[in-house]
């Protein structure tokens, strides 16, 4: 025969434990939602950078020639990605686009080799000198390294949606935009800032 | 007791969740595709421009739904636009460059699939995401994570804040972005062509010419034509796969002939093609050492011994008119078996006329080098028939020409997603999603000269959703004169 009194006593802790577990799951779920939401939220970040800047990339002869001929660079963008080349080795590709407004030319380099020169028709703007140069940026640099080479410590961080690019974050700084995937630089773009202090 | 067990389970669960949520970066570098970079640039420009710039470029209306929906919709639109740009590029290059067209269409389909996934997610609604945003804002208005002070930004302030901090002329960005995308896509297409179209200087030049004829790739073609080292690099890359067969055939010929000179070679009766079957019993297995252990050369010539002192080239100097030679070659790694026979019909000091016929078969298999090949199972078989050739020596500078006619039929099957048979003799490729049979007909007027390798190949590929086409498994046959025919 079962003792009804003993049975009543044993139910109370069980219910309490179930309630506690349920509450814990709700709490964890909310924390998870909060962290996920936090990760997906655009942020204004201020880096306290103590990194030593890495050395600069060596320009190719063709790039040096272009710079000496065209002079001041108005904007540039660099894409980094991996590709299998003819020799079967996975190699990092560096595609650079350099813009020279005064000469109306945008020049493309593939791993330092001149690939293409395209005429551009952009009205002259009163712009400040470009404060960054392509040789500052290595493939797959970290955020801290980029901050160290550019001196930029205040940035807007914009996480990309998981469906679009998992691990992707875009950063916006003064005259510079770059993208990191898993904290590795794969895209960077720098433009001369406009001189009038307003938007274009 | 129960409480202790629940407590332990709970603690374990917490640890697992914490570990899972930490999202620690892995030290190993991940692979980044070109599309990652392009998508990132697209997204960045959307925020820099602060408007629905993709619609503006396309001449459409600026979108103005709620910001959250607009954000997702724009991303979908960006993917669709990127996909469309691949499609457009493929259309423009239709008929000129099948390899690039094929590649671009695959990319376009992949991007469309990605857009579909994003759209589905959007349709599911974002209630949890919105709750998360609110909670995220509550818990982290100003926080210090890993040495950086962080402040979350309210969504409707994003564009203004970005505009303030970046502070660049928008029209330059707008004019710049599509140009970059086109260049990147073309550059990748050019690489693919180079990879597919053979390993000889002549083939590279042919590809370069092909690219130069297309306005979009003209500059790439010019660069390709002016880079003398590419043929060497390409040779190095493909050498491990294709070259042993060719080199070994030549070396094996010499070995056989040397053995013939010392009396080890068996003599067979000259005859026609049926003799090949008859003399199968006479075949001996030759293990080629010091050449490439991968190659098995089965059998040997059934031609009469070459004339004294003429061991260098079987067809040109080794055999008199009326002789027939048959060969069987196997390559272990690629599971290739090739039976080849030729018959010398007539010959003079300067000219050799003959017939050629053969069968080949093989398995398509995973390579030991994952960098090059995807995975899958397949097979191919084919035959060479109605082949007639003439070899001429012109001048005293050891210059030879081969003219040939004939038909090569290839049947390919397997569990791959795309099948290609390419014919570098004409620089074209046929592709289908299902196994198929392909016929190559060589015209009489086609001339193969020293150093050219008229060839055809089989190429299959398996795609993954996120990555570009896994580089394929393919095999390659090459016929022609070797580059180093010695002086008689």
């Amino acid at each position: 025969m079962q003792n009804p009194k003993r049975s009543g006593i044993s139910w109370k802790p069980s219910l309490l434990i179930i309630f506690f577990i349920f509450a814990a799951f709700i709490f964890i779920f909310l924390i998870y939602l909060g962290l996920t939401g936090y990760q997906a939220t655009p942020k204004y970040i201020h880096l306290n950078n103590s990194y030593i800047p890495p050395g600069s990339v060596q320009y190719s002869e063709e790039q040096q020639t272009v710079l000496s001929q065209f002079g001041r660079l108005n904007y540039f963008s660099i894409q980094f990605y991996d590709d299998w080349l003819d020799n079967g080795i996975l190699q990092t590709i560096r595609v650079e686009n350099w813009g020279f407004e005064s000469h109306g030319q945008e020049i493309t380099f593939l791993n330092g080799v001149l690939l293409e020169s395209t005429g551009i028709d952009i009205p002259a703007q009163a712009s400040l000198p470009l404060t960054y140069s392509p040789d500052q940026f290595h493939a797959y640099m970290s955020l801290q390294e980029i901050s160290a080479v550019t001196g930029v410590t205040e940035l807007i961080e914009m996480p990309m949606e998981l469906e679009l690019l998992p691990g992707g974050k875009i950063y916006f700084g003064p005259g510079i935009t770059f993208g990191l995937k898993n904290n590795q630089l794969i895209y960077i773009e720098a433009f001369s800032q406009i001189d009038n202090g307003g938007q274009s | 007791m129960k409480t202790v067990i629940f407590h332990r389970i709970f603690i374990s669960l917490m640890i697992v969740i914490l570990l899972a949520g930490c999202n620690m970066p892995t030290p190993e570098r991940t692979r980044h595709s070109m599309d990652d970079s392009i998508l990132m640039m697209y997204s960045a420009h959307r925020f820099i421009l602060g408007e629905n710039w993709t619609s503006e470029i396309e001449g459409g209306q600026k979108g103005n739904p709620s910001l959250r929906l607009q954000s997702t919709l724009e991303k979908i639109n960006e993917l669709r636009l990127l996909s469309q740009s691949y499609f457009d590029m493929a259309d423009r290059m239709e008929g000129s460059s099948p390899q690039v067209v094929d590649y671009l269409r695959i990319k376009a389909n992949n991007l469309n699939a990605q857009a579909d996934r994003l759209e589905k997610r959007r349709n599911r609604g974002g209630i949890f995401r919105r709750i998360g945003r609110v909670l995220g804002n509550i818990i982290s208005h100003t926080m210090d994570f890993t040495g950086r002070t962080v402040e979350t930004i309210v969504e409707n302030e994003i564009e203004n804040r970005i505009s303030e901090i970046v502070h660049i002329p928008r029209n330059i960005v707008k004019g710049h972005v599509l140009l970059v995308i086109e260049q990147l896509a073309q550059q990748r297409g050019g690489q693919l062509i180079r990879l597919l179209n053979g390993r000889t200087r002549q083939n590279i030049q042919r590809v370069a010419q092909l690219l130069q004829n297309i306005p979009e790739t003209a500059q790439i073609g010019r660069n390709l034509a002016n880079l003398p080292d590419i043929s060497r690099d390409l040779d190095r890359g493909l050498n491990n796969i294709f070259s042993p067969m060719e080199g070994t055939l030549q070396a094996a010929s010499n070995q056989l002939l040397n053995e013939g000179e010392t009396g080890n070679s068996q003599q067979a009766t000259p005859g026609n093609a049926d003799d090949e079957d008859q003399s199968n019993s006479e075949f001996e297995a030759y293990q080629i050492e010091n050449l490439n252990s991968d190659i098995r050369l089965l059998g040997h010539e059934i031609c009469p011994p070459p004339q004294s002192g003429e061991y260098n080239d079987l067809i040109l100097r080794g055999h008199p008119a009326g002789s027939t030679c048959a060969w069987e070659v196997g390559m272990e790694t690629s599971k290739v078996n090739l039976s080849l026979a030729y018959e010398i019909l007539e010959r003079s000091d300067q000219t050799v006329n003959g017939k050629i016929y053969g069968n080949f078969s093989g398995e398509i298999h995973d390579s030991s080098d994952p960098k090059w090949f995807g995975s899958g199972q397949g097979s191919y078989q084919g035959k060479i028939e109605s082949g007639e050739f003439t070899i001429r020596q012109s001048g005293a500078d050891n210059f030879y020409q081969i003219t040939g006619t004939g038909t090569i039929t290839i049947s390919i099957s397997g569990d791959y997603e795309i099948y290609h048979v390419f014919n570098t003799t004409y620089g074209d490729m046929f592709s289908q999603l299902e196994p198929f049979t392909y016929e190559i007909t060589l015209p009489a007027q086609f001339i193969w000269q020293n150093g050219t390798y008229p060839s055809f190949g089989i190429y299959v590929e398996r795609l993954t959703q996120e990555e570009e086409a896994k580089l394929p498994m393919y095999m390659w046959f090459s016929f022609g004169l070797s580059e180093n025919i010695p002086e008689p």
Side-chain angles (χ1 to χ4, degrees):
Chain A
M1 285 293 287
Q2 201 173 21
N3 185 339
K5 193 177 178 183
R6 269 188 74 184
S7 174
I9 290 168
S10 65
W11 268 105
K12 281 181 184 173
S14 299
L15 282 173
L16 201 64
I17 288 167
I18 289 168
F19 174 77
F20 177 70
I21 290 173
F22 181 73
F25 268 107
I26 295 290
F27 177 73
I28 292 167
F29 183 62
L30 288 174
I31 294 288
Y32 169 77
L33 277 184
L35 284 175
T36 309
Y38 174 76
Q39 284 174 351
T41 305
K43 303 167 195 75
Y44 186 86
I45 59 174
H46 183 92
L47 294 161
N48 301 316
N49 207 325
S50 57
Y51 269 63
I52 299 167
S56 58
V57 177
Q58 186 72 36
Y59 284 131
S60 70
E61 283 183 16
E62 283 177 297
Q63 287 174 318
Q64 287 172 10
T65 307
V66 167
L67 281 175
S68 64
Q69 283 180 354
F70 288 164
R72 184 183 151 190
L73 194 59
N74 293 98
Y75 65 88
F76 68 86
S77 69
I78 311 174
Q79 269 86 21
F80 300 105
Y81 59 92
D82 297 321
D83 209 345
W84 285 293
L85 294 191
D86 306 329
N87 53 12
I89 294 171
L90 188 66
Q91 186 175 328
T92 299
I93 308 289
R94 178 189 176 105
V95 179
E96 295 173 72
N97 282 68
W98 292 6
F100 298 91
E101 282 174 46
S102 53
H103 292 79
Q105 290 290 314
E106 181 163 310
I107 296 171
T108 307
F109 298 96
L110 173 69
N111 287 350
V113 177
L114 178 64
L115 196 69
E116 192 167 15
S117 176
T118 311
I120 50 173
D121 184 20
I122 297 170
Q125 305 248 349
S127 56
L128 298 166
L130 190 62
T131 48
Y132 314 100
S133 61
D135 64 338
Q136 289 179 298
F137 304 102
H138 296 264
Y140 312 134
M141 291 171 95
S142 68
L143 176 62
Q144 290 75 15
E145 286 172 327
I146 295 166
S147 173
V149 295
T150 58
V152 175
T153 55
E154 295 187 355
L155 293 159
I156 289 177
E157 180 184 276
M158 179 73 65
M160 294 178 76
E161 289 184 346
L162 289 176
E163 290 79 1
L164 201 63
L165 187 61
K169 286 179 181 172
I170 305 168
Y171 293 87
F172 302 91
I176 193 169
T177 305
F178 55 92
L180 276 67
K181 184 182 168 193
N182 299 333
N183 202 30
Q184 293 167 352
L185 177 70
I186 61 173
Y187 145 76
I188 189 156
E189 201 160 9
F191 292 87
S192 300
Q193 290 181 279
I194 42 183
D195 206 7
N196 59 7
Q199 293 179 27
S200 63
Chain B
M1 184 63 184
K2 276 183 183 173
T3 312
V4 172
I5 291 170
F6 274 120
H7 179 73
R8 284 181 181 170
I9 290 171
F10 179 71
I11 293 295
S12 305
L13 196 63
M14 286 293 284
I15 290 169
V16 169
I17 289 169
L18 279 173
L19 285 175
C22 277
N23 195 21
M24 296 285 284
T26 52
E28 188 184 354
R29 189 169 71 72
T30 50
R31 183 177 170 252
H32 304 293
S33 74
M34 188 175 69
D35 281 346
D36 293 347
S37 181
I38 292 178
L39 284 171
M40 209 162 247
M41 185 173 69
Y42 255 80
S43 300
H45 286 170
R46 180 167 55 83
F47 286 108
I48 293 172
L49 296 172
E51 57 197 24
N52 193 348
W53 65 274
T54 52
S55 297
E56 191 176 278
I57 286 174
E58 293 294 292
Q61 297 294 314
K62 295 178 186 180
N64 191 25
S66 77
L67 189 61
R68 187 189 67 79
L69 290 180
Q70 183 188 6
S71 169
T72 311
L73 273 176
E74 280 186 356
K75 281 168 184 156
I76 294 167
N77 289 339
E78 282 158 14
L79 286 170
R80 303 264 188 235
L81 184 66
L82 187 57
S83 167
Q84 191 58 46
S85 73
Y86 278 123
F87 271 127
D88 292 345
M89 219 180 300
D91 288 343
R92 283 203 300 276
M93 298 168 90
E94 182 83 67
S96 312
S97 180
Q99 294 95 330
V100 176
V101 169
D102 190 35
Y103 168 76
L104 291 172
R105 292 205 167 124
I106 291 166
K107 299 293 294 179
N109 286 328
N110 283 350
L111 286 167
N112 259 339
Q114 199 176 357
D116 290 343
R117 287 199 297 275
L118 192 59
E119 197 153 18
K120 273 183 194 168
R121 192 202 67 97
R122 176 180 166 263
N123 292 338
R124 281 201 302 268
I127 180 70
F128 288 126
R129 188 167 291 231
R130 265 182 277 186
I131 293 171
R133 288 280 172 93
V134 173
L135 289 170
N137 281 331
I138 292 170
I139 63 175
S140 59
H141 255 300
T142 302
M143 294 181 74
D144 193 333
F145 285 146
T146 59
R148 62 187 201 183
T149 306
V150 180
E151 174 200 344
T152 54
I153 301 172
V154 183
E155 259 183 317
N156 55 14
E157 288 181 4
I158 294 170
E159 288 176 2
N160 285 338
R161 295 291 292 271
I162 289 174
S163 177
E164 282 169 17
I165 195 168
V166 176
H167 208 208
I168 56 175
R170 289 175 173 170
N171 56 340
I172 296 179
V173 181
K174 211 177 292 182
H176 165 72
V177 58
L178 287 180
L179 181 68
V180 172
I181 289 164
E182 284 225 354
Q183 283 165 342
L184 284 168
Q186 285 169 13
Q187 187 270 326
R188 181 64 181 83
Q191 277 182 9
L192 199 73
I193 285 184
R194 269 169 31 208
L195 192 65
L196 289 177
N197 270 270
R199 58 206 168 92
T200 66
R201 182 72 190 148
Q202 285 79 5
N203 277 334
I204 290 168
Q205 289 300 331
R206 191 181 302 129
V207 173
Q209 186 60 48
L210 179 76
L211 290 172
Q212 286 180 60
N213 293 338
I214 307 164
E216 290 88 345
T217 56
Q219 185 61 43
I220 297 169
R222 281 193 289 277
N223 289 340
L224 192 60
N226 294 327
L227 287 176
D229 285 336
I230 278 186
S231 61
R232 271 210 310 274
D233 293 343
L234 213 55
D235 260 344
R236 270 202 296 274
L238 299 177
N239 193 47
N240 293 334
I241 306 159
F242 305 121
S243 183
M245 197 169 187
E246 229 170 62
T248 306
L249 266 175
Q250 182 65 38
S253 302
N254 292 336
Q255 181 171 336
L256 282 167
L257 289 168
N258 288 334
E259 287 179 6
E261 189 181 30
T262 56
N264 290 333
S265 177
Q266 294 185 12
Q267 184 170 338
T269 309
N272 55 25
D274 295 331
D275 289 337
E276 186 186 347
D277 294 330
Q278 252 187 334
S279 50
N280 272 345
S281 59
E282 297 177 14
F283 282 7
E284 293 174 6
Y286 281 84
Q287 183 67 44
I288 307 300
E289 292 177 355
N290 303 322
L291 296 170
N292 188 322
S293 59
D294 191 42
I295 298 275
R296 293 173 293 127
L297 184 65
L298 308 168
H300 62 89
E301 50 161 339
I302 54 173
C303 312
Q307 293 167 23
S308 175
E310 294 181 350
Y311 304 129
N312 292 319
D313 189 283
L314 281 172
I315 297 177
L316 272 177
R317 295 180 233 300
H319 307 294
S323 59
T324 300
C325 300
W327 296 88
E328 191 172 76
V329 178
M331 191 152 77
E332 291 288 355
T333 306
S334 299
K335 311 289 184 198
V336 174
N337 286 294
L338 169 67
S339 303
L340 197 65
Y342 58 83
E343 185 181 355
I344 309 294
L345 297 176
E346 56 180 326
R347 68 178 304 142
S348 66
D349 288 345
Q350 302 292 323
T351 308
V352 174
N353 291 326
K355 285 184 176 178
I356 188 167
Y357 32 85
N359 295 296
F360 57 89
S361 63
E363 294 173 18
I364 305 168
H365 61 98
D366 294 349
S367 164
S368 56
D369 188 350
K371 287 195 292 284
W372 279 79
F373 301 127
S375 59
Q377 295 293 322
S379 63
Y380 57 85
Q381 56 185 351
K383 58 186 174 183
I384 304 161
E385 54 193 349
S386 311
E388 294 183 7
F389 63 87
T390 300
I391 303 174
R392 288 189 188 86
Q393 184 178 10
S394 58
D397 56 349
N398 212 19
F399 184 79
Y400 296 89
Q401 287 184 340
I402 301 179
T403 55
T405 61
T407 305
I408 302 164
T409 310
I410 303 168
S411 296
I412 183 170
S413 61
D415 64 352
Y416 291 87
E417 295 180 16
I418 298 179
Y419 300 84
H420 312 276
V421 171
F422 56 91
N423 172 1
T424 58
T425 307
Y426 307 113
D428 58 10
M429 177 166 78
F430 288 82
S431 307
Q432 278 195 197
L433 297 177
E434 300 293 335
F436 69 109
T437 299
Y438 174 66
E439 202 172 88
I440 300 171
T441 304
L442 300 175
Q445 67 270 21
F446 194 81
I447 297 173
W448 304 334
Q449 295 180 342
N450 280 20
T452 62
Y453 294 88
S455 56
F456 63 93
I458 294 167
Y459 166 92
V460 292
E461 61 187 324
R462 177 176 295 283
L463 305 178
T464 60
Q465 282 195 322
E466 285 85 14
E467 296 184 2
E468 295 160 11
K470 270 274 187 198
L471 208 64
M473 177 64 215
Y474 54 65
M475 61 78 56
W476 187 291
F477 283 117
S478 178
F479 301 103
L481 290 170
S482 73
E483 289 185 70
N484 302 309
I485 297 175
E487 291 286 347

